[in-house]
Amino acid sequence: MATGPAAARSGGLISTADYPDAEWIPANGSNFTPADRPSEFPIEFVVIHVTQGSFAGTVQHFQNPEAKVSAHYVVRSNDGHIAQMVHDKDVAWHAGNWDYNTRSIGIEHEGFVDDPAWFTDAMYAASAALTASLCDTWGIPRDRTRVIGHNEVPGADHTDPGQHWDWDRYMTLLSAA
């Protein structure tokens, strides 16, 4: 059960972000599975994604009831702003593998896998701080066996975060956070 601001409830639903530095922008309820993690499912991974689009477009897509997709967090490129769209306790539909969906938190990063200009200092810093907080909160090791790319999910047909994602830089920031 969340504590502090995240515990604020409106009509039985949590109405604020779990991560204090995130803006709460809820995904449509048709795009994730309500759950009671970690009671129902352990949280063991953080999955790193790239949106293949804009921050605003991704937020809008996750709010579309026909999309049938979501992630827990979206990180904006230019300033590292973070939106939380699905609560950590719930199962976002991001990994393309139900088992991994139930056991992971998905973080989308604004940009395109073929254009490294999207991967800014602000984005890397904000995302690494978020991932560090998630790892600490849920007891996830801060290593590449548990912080993985979407392309590393078994059965995934995606290539993100792609060849331009700087894993060494990201993991150094994550270790220092």
Side-chain angles (χ1 to χ4, degrees):
M1 179 62 92
T3 59
R9 293 188 177 265
S10 173
L13 300 175
I14 298 174
S15 60
T16 59
D18 297 317
Y19 181 62
D21 292 337
E23 175 185 15
W24 175 241
I25 306 174
N28 186 282
S30 298
N31 297 331
F32 66 92
T33 302
D36 187 19
R37 299 189 314 164
S39 296
E40 289 181 71
F41 306 103
I43 300 174
E44 301 174 323
F45 298 94
V46 175
V47 179
I48 302 299
H49 302 266
V50 173
T51 63
Q52 290 300 102
S54 71
F55 177 90
T58 301
V59 167
Q60 192 171 49
H61 189 60
F62 292 167
Q63 291 180 321
N64 176 351
E66 304 300 317
K68 305 301 182 215
V69 66
S70 62
H72 294 89
Y73 298 90
V74 183
V75 183
R76 192 163 53 208
S77 174
N78 70 324
D79 61 0
H81 179 77
I82 299 169
Q84 183 171 9
M85 300 202 66
V86 176
H87 283 286
D88 296 352
K89 70 178 190 65
D90 295 324
V91 178
W93 301 344
H94 64 96
N97 173 319
W98 178 248
D99 180 50
Y100 272 71
N101 281 346
T102 64
R103 298 186 299 134
S104 66
I105 292 178
I107 304 174
E108 287 280 0
H109 296 82
E110 178 183 35
F112 296 87
V113 296
D114 293 333
D115 186 356
W118 288 92
F119 306 143
T120 64
D121 292 343
M123 174 184 277
Y124 276 120
S127 178
L130 168 61
T131 298
S133 177
L134 293 168
C135 288
D136 292 350
T137 298
W138 301 111
I140 301 168
R142 293 184 187 193
D143 62 37
R144 287 286 286 122
T145 64
R146 297 302 177 143
V147 179
I148 62 173
H150 190 185
N151 61 310
E152 297 171 301
V153 173
D157 61 357
H158 288 245
T159 61
D160 60 304
Q163 67 180 350
H164 298 295
W165 183 261
D166 189 341
W167 279 109
D168 289 339
R169 177 182 183 189
Y170 191 71
M171 295 309 292
T172 297
L173 289 167
L174 176 57
S175 294

